[in-house]
Every structure is written in structure tokens, then in C-alpha cells.
Amino acid sequence: IFKFEAADPASTVVPLAFDAAGKLYVSAYMGADTAAIYGYDTKTASLEAQPVFAIKGFDVTDGLRFNADGSRLLGVDYDADRPATYWIDETLAKAQAMLDQALPDHVNQMQVPNATGEAPILVTSYSDRDPGRFLLFDLKGNKLEQIAQSRPWMPVDRMRPTSFMRYAARDGMSIPAQLTTPSGKGPFPLVVLHYGGPWVRPIEWRWDPHVQFLVSRGYAV
């Protein structure tokens, strides 16, 4: 049923998880140049025509978020220009919108054992300048309380922002990258941090101590 060929990832269908009712979710390309999440009918051995979730220009290969008993798919985590979650559950989608409004310019990730809103939701919030903090979100009472902070001694206002960009290679291929520059006017000497692959992406938009150190010394990274 499934095809695994490392030399031809575009033809690969990767099984990810079953829900409690036995529905299978997979990651597949379906003729596109990026992977998306699809439902898979094990009786007919065929993919559903429409993806559960896809985003232009980026692969979605995992990140399924189920409720506690696995009976419902609540959402899908993905990493585009920055990490985020596509919530299928309407309650959690509204909660995410409220969080993003209260904590702008941050990635606000919710840990949700269920979608009832009865229990407080643990939130991890971070940005390219903020190492991160942990909060409890009382959805029912619409209250947000910080309970801990990562590296509270870090001067967030002195950290430099990181922007997502794409540039063209010599053959025209679009290459995604992140750029962080020192304050002031350039040109700046450039340090390139490259990562393995060709499909691995172990870097994402967030506070990076190595990047911030180099930038503080006058390098663009």
C-alpha cells in the first residue's frame, strides 16, 4: 500500500497515526512539490482527494494533535516562516486567536489534553527576541497567568529580530533562510549557519543564543 523510496520522496506516502475510530492519517505529496496531511481509506487503499491540512511552500509531515482519547483530530502543528498550529477544533481556534492577540509577535503553543475548556491550558510563548515563558490560560474565565520564564535575566529589548526570507540559487531554485542583522547600517560581515538535509529542518524562528551572540559582535547571520 505504502511506497517508501528515499530517492524519490515526492512519491512517498508516510503513515502517521490512527484515530480511535480507525481512520488513518498520512503525509503525502499527491503531485505537489510539498507534503500535506491527508486522510487514508484503508479499505480502498486510496487517499482522500482533499488534504486535511496543507500550506503553500512548506512541507507538513507530522504534528497531528488529537484529544486525550484519540477520538478527534484537534489540529496540526506546522513550521512555515514560523511555527504555528492549524486548529480544526473551533474552541481551540478561538483560544489561539485570543492568545495571539494578547501575546503579539510571539509563537504561542497550547498543550491541550482535551478541548472542553474546563481545565487551564499550559501555554509556551516565545519569539525571536524572547527566550520564552510559560503561562496558564483559563479559557472559561478568559484569564492568562505567567508561571515561569526562561532566562529572565536576558535583556529582550537588546535582542535583534530575525526575519524569514527566500533567495534564488544559481539554478533558480528558491532557498528559504532566516536573517538576523546587527543594529546600525551595513554592510555587515556575514556568518552562514547551514544545516543537514536535504529534507531536514532543525532550525526554526525563535530566540537563538548563538545567533544573538554573533549579531552582538557585529555579524549578520
Side-chain angles (χ1 to χ4, degrees), residues 106-213:
H106 279 64
V107 171
N108 303 304
Q109 296 174 327
M110 298 190 293
Q111 302 301 320
V112 287
N114 56 62
T116 63
E118 296 296 327
I121 297 172
L122 178 63
V123 177
T124 303
S125 180
Y126 63 86
S127 75
D128 51 346
R129 304 174 68 184
D130 183 355
R133 57 199 67 224
F134 303 92
L135 309 99
L136 287 179
F137 183 29
D138 180 357
L139 184 57
K140 196 172 183 179
N142 192 23
K143 295 180 181 179
L144 191 61
E145 177 188 2
Q146 182 172 309
I147 57 175
Q149 185 175 358
S150 177
R151 297 177 175 88
W153 59 85
M154 196 61 60
V156 174
D157 58 336
R158 290 169 55 187
M159 300 295 102
R160 296 295 299 161
T162 297
S163 58
F164 182 86
M165 59 179 291
R166 291 182 182 271
Y167 64 94
R170 286 177 293 179
D171 62 359
M173 180 69 71
S174 175
I175 300 178
Q178 294 182 169
L179 178 65
T180 311
T181 59
S183 59
K185 294 183 178 180
F188 304 108
L190 178 69
V191 174
V192 178
L193 303 179
H194 64 90
Y195 294 84
W199 304 292
V200 174
R201 182 181 173 177
I203 188 173
E204 62 182 30
W205 184 87
R206 67 184 311 146
W207 183 81
D208 187 315
H210 304 99
V211 170
Q212 293 295 339
F213 172 77

